[in-house]
Amino acid sequence: MILTEKEMTTVKDLQTQEKACIEKYQRYSCEAKDTVLKDLFKTLQNKEQEHYDSLQQVIGGTVPSCNCNDSDGKNYNPKATYDKLGNSEDKKTDNFLATDCISSEKLVSSEYNTNVFCFKDSAMRKLLADIQIEEQNHAEMLYKYKTVNGMV
């Protein structure tokens, strides 16, 4: 597949967003106090790496197939670490990290939602729509973590 200049620029911009998410999840997995949250951040880091790699394949001329994984968020059921009524410093730190990541996921999901219309190729639009759904799943997983830990 040959991308137009605008399409190539859009893919590279989306890749920049994915790289920022990868780095954020890597850093936050080190900063998080709760091992459940650390593990979630590592999982999401790997998912964002998959997105980055898919976009790299597009830059190389190939649109990878996608599986439209819309169940990660629905199926994620974290165990509570923190007392719902407690407000320890560790809980405050983890709440901040999870909330910040939800904001990032909302932004990235919005970028995919808008940029999907920049592409004429239906396989490319399908890939971007799939990634957008996965970004929504990430936010849902983070929200479920916050909910079970009394952070919402």
Side-chain angles (χ1 to χ4, degrees):
M1 181 178 92
I2 299 173
L3 298 174
T4 67
E5 185 178 337
K6 180 178 181 179
E7 289 171 334
M8 182 63 81
T9 299
T10 300
V11 170
K12 288 181 179 180
D13 287 347
L14 291 170
Q15 226 181 5
T16 299
Q17 293 289 332
E18 294 296 344
K19 187 168 176 43
C21 288
I22 292 164
E23 290 176 11
K24 179 179 278 193
Y25 284 127
Q26 182 179 30
R27 288 180 185 195
Y28 282 13
S29 68
C30 294
E31 291 179 32
K33 307 302 181 189
D34 176 16
T35 57
V36 174
L37 186 58
K38 285 178 180 287
D39 290 344
L40 177 55
F41 286 155
K42 288 175 187 173
T43 296
L44 296 178
Q45 177 187 350
N46 290 334
K47 297 285 188 184
E48 301 296 0
Q49 185 66 54
E50 289 174 16
H51 297 166
Y52 183 92
D53 294 344
S54 292
L55 295 171
Q56 190 62 43
Q57 287 181 41
V58 169
I59 290 170
T62 305
V63 179
S65 62
C66 51
N67 65 357
C68 200
N69 178 358
D70 62 352
S71 60
D72 280 355
K74 177 178 69 174
N75 294 335
Y76 182 68
N77 294 304
K79 295 191 189 283
T81 300
Y82 297 109
D83 180 322
K84 287 191 180 220
L85 300 177
N87 208 17
S88 69
E89 287 304 312
D90 286 355
K91 182 177 178 180
K92 288 178 187 177
T93 297
D94 286 347
N95 183 26
F96 171 80
L97 297 175
T99 301
D100 184 53
C101 288
I102 290 172
S103 296
S104 294
E105 293 294 349
K106 286 180 180 180
L107 172 69
V108 173
S109 176
S110 175
E111 288 295 316
Y112 279 100
N113 189 50
T114 300
N115 286 313
V116 71
F117 297 105
C118 295
F119 294 85
K120 62 183 177 228
D121 182 77
S122 60
M124 188 64 199
R125 288 194 309 272
K126 183 177 180 185
L127 174 66
L128 296 183
D130 179 56
I131 293 173
Q132 194 254 353
I133 288 168
E134 291 180 1
E135 300 295 356
Q136 290 178 22
N137 283 334
H138 301 170
E140 182 178 1
M141 294 165 79
L142 290 158
Y143 186 78
K144 283 183 171 182
Y145 171 83
K146 287 183 56 160
T147 300
V148 77
N149 283 290
M151 297 174 174
V152 292

